[in-house]
Amino acid sequence: MQDTGQTNTPETAPPPEEPRPEPGARAASEAAAAAVREALRSQRPADARKQAAAALEAYGPDPDLYLLLGRAHVAEDEDDHDDEAERAYRRGLDAFPDHLALLTAYAELCRAADALDRPGRHARADRLMARVAELAPGSPEALRLSNPAPVWAAQPPTPRLSVSHTQRHDVRGALAAAPNLAEAARRADEEAGQHPYDLRLAIRAETLTAFLRPGRRLLLGQVRAPYLSVLAVLAVGALALVPESAAPWSMWAGAAALLTLVPYRLLTVLESGARSRAVHRTPPLPEGAPEPASPLPPPPPPGARDFVLLGTALTLAVFAVVSPLAFKYPADTSYPHYTATAPKTFRGAPLFSAVPVVDGVSSDMASLWTQALNTEGAFAYVYGELADPDGPIGPAALVFGAVGDFRNTPDKALKGYELGLAESDSTIDGVWKPDPGPDGRRLRCVSYADDSETPGSRVACSWVDNGSYGTVVMNEPGLSRPRDRHEGRPHGLGRGSASR
C-alpha cells in the first residue's frame, strides 16, 4: 500500500459506516416496517411491537424498525413503555448514530419526560435537539423540535399529578408501612441510599426527616387526610361568613378559619425545602446511562372518595358565598320604614321652610339643618313668621332629624342637643324623660334659656326609635317673640342650638 503521509487521528478519522443489510434482507425489512406502520395506524401497538421485534431479530439492525418499535411503546403512554421506547431508540442510535428520524423521535421523548420523575432523560433533550439542528439545519425535524408547542401537545395529554400530590402520596405510603414516624424516616433514608439516582426516593426521605423536627408532627394530619382537612377549613370559613346578626359567634369562627390556614402554609414550606435538599443530594446520571426505573409505584389519581370530599368542599364554598345574602335581607330591613311629611302648622305656627321641599314653601333655612346632619333620609322643618311690622322675629319651632335604620343607636345620641347647649352661654334648667311609648322608643327633653331670658324659655326634645331620630326645638311661651334690643339678636333659637 502506498503511504500517503497522512495518519487518521480521532479528530480526522471518518465516521463509522452504518451497517448495510444484504439486498434481500433490506427488502424483507422494508416489508416488515410497512406491516408495523399498518399496525400502528390501526391502533394495535402490541402487534406493532411484536412484529418490529421479530423483524429486528430476523433481519438485523434497521433504523426504521427501531424507530417504529419506539413509537409503538410511546403509543401506550405509560412510564414503563416510555422506558422501553428509550431503549429502542438508544439501540438504534448505537447502530445508526446520525439517523435523523431516530434522533428526532428520541429528542421528543426526552423533552416530554417529567423533570422530576426522569431528570436524566429530560436533560438529554437539549443535546439531542442541538444534534438534529447540526445535522439538518432548517429541516422539518429541526423546525418541529424548535417549536415551543411540540406535536405531541396536540394529542390528548395524560393528566399529570402535581409534585406535591406525588410527594404526599409517597409519604403516606411510608407512614402506613411503618409502625411510627421515626422508623418510616429511617427506612426511607436507607432505600434512598440504595438508589442514589432516584430523585423521588430522595424527596420522600427528606420529607419524612423534616417531620421529625420539633413541632412538625402536627402537620402530619394534613398529609394523612388532605381532603378532610380542606373540608374542615372550608366548613369553618363558611360559618365565619354568616353575618353576626344571624350568628354572634361568626367572628370567632372567622378567627379560627384564619388560624387553620397557617399549618397549610407551614406544610408548603416544609415540602418545598425537602424537594430542594433532595435535588442537591441526588447525583447526576453518568453520561449515556439509561434512566433507572423507580421502585415506587406511580401515585394513583384522585378516586371517587376524594371527589366526594371535594364536591362537599365546593358546596361549602358556595354556601359561604351565598349565606350572607340569605341572612342579610331579614336582618337589615326589619326596621320601621317611615316617610317624613311636614305638617302645615305646628302648635299653631305655619310652616316657613322645609326639606324635603314642600310646594309653595322655601327650603333655604331648612337646608342648613339637613346639610349639617349629612345623613341619608334627613329632614328639617322651620315653623313661625320671621318678620312683622315691629321687627324681625325668630322661628317658633324647629323640627329636624332623619329616617332610616336606627336600631342600634346608643342612648348618648339623645344628649346631642343637650351637649351643644353645655358648650354655649345658655343655661339648662331641667332634664326629664317623658313616656316615649312602646317598641323601644326613647325620648329626652331639656329646658334652657339665655342669661337675659326667663328660665325655661325654650324646650328641646330628642327622640329615637328603630326607624327615625330627631329633635324638636320649641320657643315657648309664645309663637312670635320680638328681638331683644339689649341682646341685639333674635329670640327663638339660642346660641346653643345646632344652627350655630
Side-chain angles (χ1 to χ4, degrees):
M1 176 183 294
Q2 183 179 359
D3 186 4
T4 61
Q6 295 181 351
T7 303
N8 285 334
T9 65
E11 290 79 8
T12 62
E17 294 185 358
E18 296 179 352
R20 298 176 180 273
E22 295 295 330
R26 180 61 183 169
S29 296
E30 291 177 354
V36 174
R37 291 190 188 93
E38 181 60 30
L40 285 175
R41 278 194 295 267
S42 303
Q43 298 183 356
R44 294 181 287 111
D47 292 341
R49 292 192 299 271
K50 185 182 299 185
Q51 295 175 18
L56 287 170
E57 182 69 20
Y59 309 120
D62 183 275
D64 291 338
L65 288 174
Y66 281 122
L67 176 64
L68 293 170
L69 178 59
R71 287 178 176 173
H73 281 292
V74 171
E76 299 289 354
D77 201 10
E78 295 178 2
D79 290 341
D80 293 340
H81 281 281
D82 287 347
D83 296 340
E84 293 297 330
E86 182 175 22
R87 293 188 184 94
Y89 292 149
R90 293 178 69 90
R91 287 198 302 267
L93 289 172
D94 288 341
F96 309 94
D98 293 335
H99 193 275
L100 195 60
L102 274 173
L103 285 169
T104 303
Y106 190 22
E108 290 176 344
L109 177 69
C110 293
R111 190 163 67 159
D114 187 271
L116 178 62
D117 293 336
R118 296 290 189 272
R121 181 185 300 167
H122 185 79
R124 284 191 284 274
D126 291 339
R127 179 167 53 85
L128 292 166
M129 292 165 58
R131 182 59 177 161
V132 171
E134 179 184 358
L135 290 174
S139 64
E141 290 82 0
L143 294 176
R144 190 169 69 209
L145 290 176
S146 65
N147 188 345
V151 292
W152 60 82
Q155 302 174 357
T158 301
R160 291 192 177 272
L161 302 174
S162 67
V163 176
S164 297
H165 178 90
T166 303
Q167 185 176 5
R168 295 177 189 180
H169 167 79
D170 294 342
V171 170
R172 281 195 300 271
L175 292 172
N180 52 59
L181 174 61
E183 180 62 18
R186 187 195 66 80
R187 294 179 183 178
D189 190 67
E190 180 180 346
E191 189 173 5
Q194 297 171 357
H195 301 81
Y197 300 109
D198 195 310
L199 180 60
R200 189 173 162 190
L201 287 175
I203 290 176
R204 185 183 67 172
E206 291 292 341
T207 306
L208 288 168
T209 302
F211 279 119
L212 290 174
R213 297 172 186 171
R216 306 294 177 86
R217 294 173 183 260
L218 298 176
L219 304 177
L220 282 176
Q222 300 174 64
V223 177
R224 296 181 187 271
Y227 295 113
L228 282 177
S229 58
V230 171
L231 187 63
V233 171
L234 286 177
V236 176
L239 295 177
L241 291 178
V242 176
E244 188 174 355
S245 59
W249 34 258
S250 61
M251 179 182 66
W252 298 104
L258 290 177
L259 289 177
T260 54
L261 295 177
V262 175
Y264 279 91
R265 178 57 183 166
L266 295 177
L267 178 61
T268 301
V269 173
L270 182 147
E271 292 174 338
S272 177
R275 292 195 296 268
S276 178
R277 291 189 298 273
V279 169
H280 284 89
R281 70 177 272 181
T282 304
L285 284 171
E287 182 66 26
E291 189 78 29
S294 176
L296 294 175
R305 175 176 174 272
D306 300 325
F307 283 114
V308 169
L309 289 175
L310 285 177
T312 306
L314 290 176
T315 303
L316 281 174
V318 172
F319 169 77
V321 175
V322 175
S323 60
L325 302 177
F327 289 103
K328 183 177 180 180
Y329 181 80
D332 286 354
T333 61
S334 59
Y335 59 89
H337 293 260
Y338 299 132
T339 300
T341 303
K344 293 182 179 180
T345 61
F346 182 81
R347 297 177 64 83
L351 179 64
F352 176 79
S353 180
V355 173
V357 177
V358 177
D359 291 340
V361 178
S362 169
S363 63
D364 295 341
M365 180 175 288
S367 63
L368 298 176
W369 291 88
T370 55
Q371 292 174 8
L373 286 174
N374 193 25
T375 303
E376 185 178 358
F379 59 86
Y381 308 127
V382 181
Y383 291 88
E385 298 179 2
L386 301 187
D388 67 9
D390 296 331
I393 60 174
L398 174 65
V399 182
F400 62 92
V403 294
D405 184 5
F406 291 94
R407 286 172 294 178
N408 297 319
T409 304
D411 289 338
K412 65 180 181 181
L414 294 173
K415 300 180 181 180
Y417 195 85
E418 183 180 338
L419 294 175
L421 292 174
E423 299 295 330
S424 70
D425 58 0
S426 299
T427 301
I428 297 176
D429 303 313
V431 177
W432 69 99
K433 295 181 179 180
D435 182 15
D439 301 331
R441 300 169 185 171
R442 288 164 285 170
L443 182 62
R444 184 183 180 93
C445 294
V446 57
S447 62
Y448 64 98
D450 291 345
D451 296 339
S452 60
E453 297 175 333
T454 303
S457 295
R458 303 182 182 92
V459 176
C461 292
S462 298
W463 84 91
V464 65
D465 60 21
N466 290 338
S468 65
Y469 165 77
T471 300
V472 178
V473 182
M474 294 171 285
N475 185 2
E476 295 285 0
L479 299 180
S480 298
R481 299 179 62 85
R483 178 187 295 271
D484 186 341
R485 288 159 175 83
H486 300 284
E487 185 71 13
R489 61 181 175 83
H491 289 275
L493 296 180
R495 291 183 183 177
S497 67
S499 63
R500 187 183 177 210

